[in-house]
Amino acid sequence: MAFQYGVIEGLYDQDNQWSWESRNAYASFCAGKGFDFYIYAPKNDPYLREQWDKPWPENDFSQLNTLGLELKQNNVRFGVGLTPFNVRELSQTSRQQLKKKIASINQLNPDILCILFDDFSNEIDDLAKTQAEIAEFIAGESTANQFIVVGTYYSRDPLLQRVYGAMPEGYWSDLGQYLDPQFEIFWTGDHVISLGYDQPSLQAMTDHFQRKPFLWDNYPVNDTDWLKNRLRLYTFTGRPWQISDWCSGHAVNPMIQPWLSMIPLATLSDLYHQKDRFDGHASFKQAVNDLCGKKLASAIQDNLLYFTEEGTLNFSGFTRKRLEKTFSEFQSEKEQPFTREILKWLQPSE
């Protein structure tokens, strides 16, 4: 399969869940920017994680089905990310539970099914082999045509071993050995939130996985406690277009703010289309202008450092009030979703 790039909605934050209206807006946005896919995998959807064995409420399931249809109508491939939380082996019980869940997901008719073993305990015998067996079983029940796995250790970041314990020796190579070639493998890079990517590091993972990694890029995500006070609006940096040669795909994880996320996401499309001609700053200026209109775009550019570098934790009362006054004046239909997110972000946290 040719290199592909798109969006993976992977937010943790329980207090800032995206609306279905915002998600549906991504169908036309992704289509307009040439994105190949949109994967629904929020970590704050309990029916994909801690309560994965329970059915979605009827309204949520209906909304999710509508999202899939919207994406398909715009020729954007639809994906779902399932975390078989605390499945430690393929017992008779877990097989029946997984069959039931996959049958439900099949009703959504996703093109892509992600099987996510991240961010829960590694206390499983023969971790890589067991995860490969679970992934194989799930894929066998699914009607999707593409499968992507994320392992427990999806980055070189020492944070993962501090939180989840020591990585079993040879885990990455074992995962590559045991997983059938039909499976892609997600990788976030040298860190969970990586500043950039280079060929030697990605080639090392290609050697481990026995296939090119599929990049899960945590930019412009801001749902961690240390990033919530910033809006990561600027263009993609540290990501050379040659990633399209080094990886099988590139999935980008957006911010708590779905509409403002479109600004940096739009620059990814320019990166891969323009290649050596890519001018990150020019791409940012064009994206914010196209999405927000000239007047609001100008105000965002004028205050970019307050958003991306200083952040609300460091604002004086004067700065906060000035920004609130500035952005409350933009009320056209085109400007509203962006200014609404800025004004909410400016509110002091409880």
Side-chain angles (χ1 to χ4, degrees):
M1 187 178 288
F3 176 80
Q4 52 192 305
Y5 61 94
V7 175
I8 185 160
E9 181 194 337
L11 294 179
Y12 272 100
D13 196 287
Q14 294 289 344
D15 299 323
N16 292 282
Q17 298 188 41
W18 282 17
S19 69
W20 291 106
E21 178 188 11
S22 298
R23 292 185 178 110
N24 290 334
Y26 267 73
S28 57
F29 170 77
C30 289
K33 291 300 172 184
F35 283 19
D36 297 293
F37 59 82
Y38 179 102
I39 299 170
Y40 174 82
K43 306 300 176 72
N44 55 26
D45 182 339
Y47 304 102
L48 285 176
R49 286 181 62 81
E50 289 84 353
Q51 300 178 53
W52 66 266
D53 56 337
K54 305 287 193 301
W56 278 285
E58 187 175 336
N59 182 63
D60 287 2
F61 189 81
S62 175
Q63 295 279 12
L64 190 49
N65 187 56
T66 298
L67 173 63
L69 292 172
E70 287 277 336
L71 289 161
K72 288 170 182 290
Q73 287 169 6
N74 281 273
N75 295 313
V76 179
R77 301 175 73 236
F78 172 48
V80 174
L82 172 66
T83 297
F85 199 77
N86 285 339
V87 175
R88 302 180 186 282
E89 60 179 351
L90 279 176
S91 65
Q92 185 175 354
T93 299
S94 64
R95 286 173 188 267
Q96 289 303 117
Q97 290 173 328
L98 286 167
K99 273 189 174 186
K100 190 173 181 180
K101 187 66 174 191
I102 301 307
S104 174
I105 291 174
N106 286 345
Q107 293 179 46
L108 300 169
N109 197 27
D111 304 288
I112 305 166
L113 180 61
C114 301
I115 304 158
L116 311 175
F117 296 105
D118 56 324
D119 303 338
F120 67 94
S121 172
N122 73 338
E123 295 176 1
I124 299 172
D125 293 336
D126 296 322
L127 184 64
K129 185 177 182 181
T130 301
Q131 289 176 341
E133 290 172 351
I134 294 169
E136 291 269 5
F137 179 80
I138 289 173
E141 298 294 321
S142 174
T143 57
N145 54 45
Q146 183 178 7
F147 301 97
I148 316 176
V149 168
V150 65
T152 302
Y153 300 94
Y154 49 85
S155 168
R156 297 184 188 279
D157 201 322
L159 169 69
L160 297 179
Q161 299 202 54
R162 288 201 301 270
V163 174
Y164 301 109
M167 182 174 71
E169 186 177 354
Y171 173 75
W172 293 327
S173 296
D174 287 347
L175 197 63
Q177 175 188 339
Y178 290 123
L179 274 176
D180 186 271
Q182 71 167 318
F183 292 95
E184 312 263 18
I185 304 178
F186 273 131
W187 179 249
T188 69
D190 290 342
H191 299 277
V192 173
I193 298 178
S194 292
L195 292 176
Y197 301 94
D198 59 34
Q199 195 273 338
S201 180
L202 294 172
Q203 180 60 51
M205 296 318 300
T206 298
D207 295 341
H208 281 300
F209 291 157
Q210 300 176 38
R211 72 208 75 192
K212 293 179 181 179
F214 198 116
L215 213 56
W216 176 314
D217 188 350
N218 282 316
Y219 186 83
V221 71
N222 66 344
D223 63 343
T224 61
D225 287 341
W226 60 281
L227 284 174
K228 283 180 183 176
N229 69 313
R230 299 185 188 183
L231 294 176
R232 305 175 85 197
L233 301 179
Y234 198 53
T235 191
F236 278 80
T237 60
R239 281 104 174 131
W241 68 262
Q242 289 90 345
I243 285 172
S244 60
D245 295 327
W246 306 333
C247 295
S248 62
H250 190 171
V252 291
N253 191 6
M255 295 188 288
I256 291 168
Q257 297 81 10
W259 289 87
L260 290 169
S261 293
M262 293 178 182
I263 297 170
L265 296 184
T267 71
L268 186 72
S269 176
D270 288 344
L271 171 67
Y272 286 124
H273 280 101
Q274 297 171 6
K275 298 187 177 181
D276 286 331
R277 297 181 292 106
F278 177 67
D279 179 330
H281 188 61
S283 176
F284 164 75
K285 290 171 67 176
Q286 187 67 51
V288 71
N289 187 72
D290 290 347
L291 288 163
C292 304
K294 289 183 179 179
K295 291 183 179 179
L296 177 56
S298 179
I300 289 173
Q301 290 177 66
D302 288 346
N303 292 284
L304 185 62
L305 288 180
Y306 290 101
F307 295 145
T308 62
E309 301 301 322
E310 187 167 346
T312 54
L313 290 181
N314 298 306
F315 285 173
S316 65
F318 173 82
T319 296
R320 192 183 300 271
K321 287 179 181 178
R322 180 185 68 78
L323 291 171
E324 287 175 347
K325 181 177 186 303
T326 296
F327 288 99
S328 64
E329 294 174 357
F330 295 98
Q331 293 298 326
S332 75
E333 185 176 352
K334 184 172 187 176
E335 295 163 344
Q336 276 184 352
F338 299 96
T339 54
R340 186 167 58 240
E341 290 182 350
I342 291 172
L343 292 171
K344 181 179 180 182
W345 172 77
L346 285 168
Q347 297 304 308
S349 56
E350 297 296 332

